[in-house]
Amino acid sequence: MAHALTLNAGSSSLKFGYFHLDTDAGEPDARIVGLVERIGQGQRAHMRAKGPDGAVLIDKEFGRNHVSDHGTALERVVAFLRDRRPDATLSAVGHRVVHGGPDFDAPVELTDKVIKRLAEFEPLAPLHQPHNLSGVRAALELFPDAVQVACFDTAFHRNHPWVNDTFAIPRRFYDEGVRRYGFHGLSYEYISSKLAEIAPHLHMGRTIVAHLGNGASMCGLMGGRSVASSMGFTALDGLPMGTRCGQLDPGVLLYMLQTEGMGADEIQNVLYRESGLLGLSELSNDMRTLEAAAKENERAREAISYFVFRIRRELGALAAALGGVSTLVFCGGIGENSVHIREKVCEGMGWLGMEIDEGRNLRSEQIISTDLSRVRVLVIPTNEELVIARAARDMLAQKEETAA
Ligand code: ADP
């Protein structure tokens, strides 16, 4: 029995999974999934993990500054795993890496050369890529004998038609790598595989997936493959997010530069950390907080309205790009849990053949559309960790085959 660790490093969090692998292509078996949150200077980090039956294995807050970076967070995770599974040796570590640039359209083994290339994409995903790579470096030190595999959020979108891959700026920029990459690919890959399993006839058709979490994007799929995404060159484009602006007229950047005299770092900070739901509500980036405050707080209401409005616009745009839609899937923390957002997104969408059932939506059932709705509307909890574990399993199988 081989064992794999999956790592998914966000700006201040580290999600992890411990899997049993059957390299003869059986589905990886998640034995432990968890996360460390609030990593960073001045913070009290928190680690939580569950077993396969949902039992809580750890729920622990660390002292202030005890987990000040991702390397330390990984050490804590490893100490916890070693405590639970003292005999287990890891055969593989799978990493979520946000940006694979124009080069990578599939998982790849992390060699020195690959890591060096991936570091060149750090400016394209400044909130994620540096953390992803520091996780990779730390894991290489901790597990020098394990196969290290990178799984890219951009890879699932690499075969977009050219019109969805480019911007209308001079061609040399495209050649330099300024392209519409698209993100959340691991989530979309999981949703596509799950749809193939539970509803193969829907999987064959035209699907729009709304991944609505702290980061949010939408993707159009044809026969299970991505053909269009709301996100572009960086993870800033498309829908507004917790703290990111979403689609923005580039003239606004010129205004910030020329009229406000802002510097590049300042603008980056505004667009990545101070915008989106937080910027509009001036209250919080967290949808639960905004929904709770919406009754009394007009700005919280407006932030939610803007979020919903942009999702609806993107829904129409993707339906047009696909030439119709047979399935809409909601996933991500908001998509999986917010009854209100799902209801508002689908309200008045009868013209698109979409109607949701109030009771099914309220219970967050797998299918929330009415029986008469031409478009099936589903809620599918996403599972990026499983996609990473599958890639680790396949890489091990490939290496075994080459060695045989
Ligand atoms: P990330 O992109 O960091 O992985 P998640 O997918 O975990 O984010 O989503 C986090 C978002 O989901 C937050 O805005 C949170 O408020 C929202 N969320 C989680 N549960 C609920 C809920 N029951 N109702 C509304 N929003 C929720």
Side-chain angles (χ1 to χ4, degrees), residues 386-400:
L386 184 62
V387 174
I388 302 171
R390 285 175 183 160
R393 173 201 64 199
D394 295 346
M395 188 65 73
L396 282 176
Q398 199 182 315
K399 286 182 96 67
E400 271 175 24

Side-chain angles (χ1 to χ4, degrees), residues 15 211-215 285-289 291 332-334 337-338:
K15 293 185 182 155
H211 176 107
L212 309 178
N214 225 339
N285 65 307
D286 191 287
M287 185 57 80
R288 270 169 299 195
T289 308
E291 287 190 344
I334 300 171
N337 296 298
S338 176

Side-chain angles (χ1 to χ4, degrees), residues 11-145:
S11 47
S12 63
S13 68
L14 178 67
K15 293 185 182 155
F16 61 94
Y18 173 76
F19 286 81
H20 287 178
L21 298 184
D22 170 0
T23 46
D24 291 333
E27 190 74 310
D29 181 13
R31 307 307 301 169
I32 299 174
V33 286
L35 91 163
V36 185
E37 291 178 289
R38 300 201 292 270
I39 300 167
Q41 287 291 345
Q43 304 251 53
R44 282 180 192 278
H46 192 134
M47 189 195 294
R48 276 180 287 138
K50 287 182 178 171
D53 51 1
V56 177
L57 304 177
I58 187 168
D59 188 349
K60 175 178 174 174
E61 190 172 75
F62 296 96
R64 199 175 294 283
N65 291 330
H66 283 196
V67 187
S68 53
D69 57 34
H70 285 73
T72 319
L74 181 57
E75 280 167 22
R76 303 282 179 182
V77 169
V78 170
F80 159 70
L81 290 174
R82 290 211 165 120
D83 193 39
R84 307 274 327 169
R85 313 270 162 160
D87 303 327
T89 48
L90 288 179
S91 311
V93 183
H95 302 264
R96 175 187 180 199
V97 177
V98 161
H99 222 300
D103 307 14
F104 300 105
D105 62 1
V108 64
E109 185 172 355
L110 283 154
T111 59
D112 287 345
K113 195 170 153 208
V114 170
I115 296 171
K116 211 166 150 218
R117 179 73 177 130
L118 295 178
E120 290 172 20
F121 305 140
E122 283 187 1
L124 306 186
L127 272 194
H128 294 95
Q129 193 86 341
H131 301 302
N132 297 159
L133 295 184
S134 68
V136 167
R137 292 186 189 103
L140 276 166
E141 264 186 35
L142 284 163
F143 307 106
D145 299 326

